Amino acid sequence: MLTGTVLRARSGFYTVATERGTVECQLRGRLKRKRASSELVVVGDVVTLESTAPGVGVIESVSPRRSRFSRRQPGPRGSWREDLIVANLDQVLAVFACADPPPNPRLIDRFLVVAEHNEITAVLVANKVDLANGPAARAIFEPYAAIGYRVIYTSARTGEGLDELRTVLAGRISAISGPSGVGKSTLLNSLDPTLAIATAEVSEALRKGRHTTTATELHPLHGPMGGHVADTPGIRELALWDIPPADLAWCFPEFRPFLNSCRFADCRHLAEPGCGLMAAAERGDFGADRFDSYRRMEASA
């Protein structure tokens, strides 16, 4: 019996890194029959496996997950299910381009909410800074730095921000996520050329990214401080999974000082009288755009 970490998961086959090297695995039959609302085994899972031949094995069990990054996706018969992207990570790096394609603040907010709900450190990476007007790009991302999020401005072309990015990734298990075409794979190749991850240009007709990463894969980073990074497929939508409406406002850190000042304990912060959060928004204690994002998410929850 061996213990290892899942590096790849594709069509029922799993590549697991163990102390004896990588092992290509499938699930034990009884594990396949287990009913679950999300994937039984995903990238980042710590599993116990039995070796059946050199380099081949079957996964017997999955250890409890200490963290997760997931979204909601349609399930059978009009139901919803969890799309679990990565398990057991220390942080998520949400990568958005300063230009080509332009950043979407609503999607940025959703990434941050998912990270907050799962108590995962979130870092914003503002990539392709060489293609953008500097002040205009910073006007989009600096409000997040003011809230307390770390924002790293990067360019694979000029090398800007790459040393800071290496420091953030070193010794941690990280997920690199964001829309297609923002340069996630190109950044990783610049940090560690041995990864050789496939990349593609942004569509000239639609100015949208093309999917080059088709499945999540956990890569070991080569260097003195190590670490692992999961390169994920591009995400155009991030529907919230299993975030109770009562907890949603807490996922906006700048709202927290005002959440105990509402007249009603079950206030949804939409139109209730005596809402402390709405009063703070009217005073300008935090950004109006963020409050609008919250109300949109609350309405769709």
Side-chain angles (χ1 to χ4, degrees):
M1 302 295 287
L2 296 171
T3 299
T5 300
V6 178
L7 302 182
R8 286 183 295 275
R10 295 184 181 180
S11 304
F13 292 87
Y14 305 89
T15 302
V16 182
T18 73
E19 61 182 8
R20 299 182 187 175
T22 58
V23 182
E24 298 299 325
C25 297
Q26 292 181 282
L27 298 182
R28 178 69 74 185
R30 64 174 177 270
L31 196 58
K32 288 182 181 180
R33 292 190 292 271
K34 181 179 178 182
R35 298 186 64 181
S37 60
S38 64
E39 290 81 356
L40 293 171
V41 179
V42 299
V43 168
D45 270 330
V46 177
V47 299
T48 300
L49 61 94
E50 180 182 1
S51 178
T52 57
V56 181
V58 289
I59 294 175
E60 298 281 354
S61 63
V62 183
S63 299
R65 294 159 178 153
R66 61 181 176 85
S67 64
R68 61 209 297 130
F69 191 78
S70 62
R71 61 179 174 176
R72 186 181 68 176
Q73 71 174 14
R77 300 179 182 177
S79 63
W80 297 99
R81 69 189 302 271
E82 180 184 22
D83 177 19
L84 182 52
I85 302 171
V86 190
N88 299 318
L89 62 158
D90 299 314
Q91 61 185 357
V92 59
L93 276 65
V95 182
F96 287 81
C98 295
D100 196 27
N104 181 346
R106 298 279 182 250
L107 189 55
I108 294 174
D109 291 338
R110 285 179 172 268
F111 270 97
L112 298 179
V113 163
V114 172
E116 292 288 347
H117 176 66
N118 289 286
E119 299 182 345
I120 300 169
T121 298
V123 178
L124 273 178
V125 180
N127 194 31
K128 301 186 184 181
V129 67
D130 56 299
L131 300 181
N133 175 280
R138 292 180 183 273
I140 294 172
F141 292 98
E142 283 304 307
Y144 295 101
I147 294 169
Y149 291 106
R150 186 168 188 169
V151 180
I152 304 176
Y153 293 90
T154 60
S155 168
R157 181 176 299 174
T158 68
E160 180 177 348
L162 295 188
D163 287 342
E164 184 179 0
L165 199 55
R166 287 190 185 94
T167 300
V168 168
L169 293 172
R172 298 179 175 92
I173 299 176
S174 310
I176 299 283
S177 194
S180 298
V182 297
K184 301 184 296 295
S185 299
T186 301
L187 273 179
L188 289 178
N189 287 337
S190 298
L191 294 171
D192 187 347
T194 65
L195 298 178
I197 302 170
T199 62
E201 297 297 325
V202 171
S203 165
E204 291 295 332
L206 300 176
R207 308 313 301 163
K208 293 181 179 179
R210 297 168 176 168
H211 291 288
T212 51
T213 300
T214 57
T216 300
E217 185 168 349
L218 189 63
H219 303 279
L221 292 172
H222 300 90
M225 298 185 70
H228 286 76
V229 60
D231 184 27
T232 66
I235 293 177
R236 288 180 179 155
E237 295 182 359
L238 190 65
L240 307 183
W241 169 257
D242 200 27
I243 301 180
D247 295 346
L248 181 59
W250 183 90
C251 295
F252 290 76
E254 69 271 39
F255 293 179
R256 293 171 190 168
F258 311 103
L259 294 180
N260 292 325
S261 59
C262 297
R263 182 185 303 175
F264 303 105
D266 59 349
C267 184
R268 295 173 61 195
H269 320 297
L270 297 177
E272 297 85 347
C275 174
L277 190 61
M278 291 175 61
E282 291 171 359
R283 292 193 303 267
D285 291 336
F286 44 74
D289 288 344
R290 288 273 287 172
F291 190 54
D292 184 57
S293 276
Y294 161 76
R295 299 180 76 163
R296 289 170 182 260
M297 292 183 210
E298 211 284 341
S300 65

